[in-house]
Amino acid sequence: TKEKRLQELNKLVNYYSNKKNQEYLGKIVKVLVIDKSEKDENKVCGYTETMKLVNVIAPKETIGQIIDVEIIEAKSFSLDGKIVEK
């Protein structure tokens, strides 16, 4: 019974988290780049002003900087984006 309830709760959390992240699609947000991505060495990761995790295809030199990022994909617990050239 506990396992079933946990699965139902996790399904709801994933649904609402993904739904909220979908609102970021196509938007340009400021991201503080903090480190290289753990899953892809061509990407860096950082956080928006609202503490959303964003993975960005950008050079390692952007670590420590605040950059403009266009969100191109939304997942349950993170966003993917591309750097916006000024």
Side-chain angles (χ1 to χ4, degrees), residues 20-42:
K20 186 68 177 169
N21 281 349
Q22 293 296 322
E23 295 174 7
Y24 284 84
L25 274 177
K27 292 187 178 178
I28 296 175
V29 295
K30 292 197 178 300
V31 174
L32 172 60
V33 180
I34 59 167
D35 205 354
K36 57 186 171 129
S37 174
E38 293 178 2
K39 297 181 180 178
D40 187 341
E41 58 185 58
N42 296 320

Side-chain angles (χ1 to χ4, degrees), residues 8-76:
E8 289 176 18
L9 182 61
N10 284 339
K11 191 185 294 185
L12 278 173
V13 168
N14 287 337
Y15 172 78
Y16 285 109
S17 179
N18 190 317
K19 185 176 177 179
K20 186 68 177 169
N21 281 349
Q22 293 296 322
E23 295 174 7
Y24 284 84
L25 274 177
K27 292 187 178 178
I28 296 175
V29 295
K30 292 197 178 300
V31 174
L32 172 60
V33 180
I34 59 167
D35 205 354
K36 57 186 171 129
S37 174
E38 293 178 2
K39 297 181 180 178
D40 187 341
E41 58 185 58
N42 296 320
K43 293 182 179 180
V44 293
C45 64
Y47 289 92
T48 67
E49 295 171 319
T50 57
M51 296 303 294
K52 296 286 186 182
L53 175 64
V54 182
N55 293 297
V56 185
I57 299 171
K60 308 273 185 285
E61 293 77 32
T62 58
I63 294 173
Q65 297 178 10
I66 297 174
I67 60 173
D68 289 328
V69 175
E70 180 182 356
I71 303 302
I72 57 174
E73 185 177 355
K75 302 173 185 170
S76 291

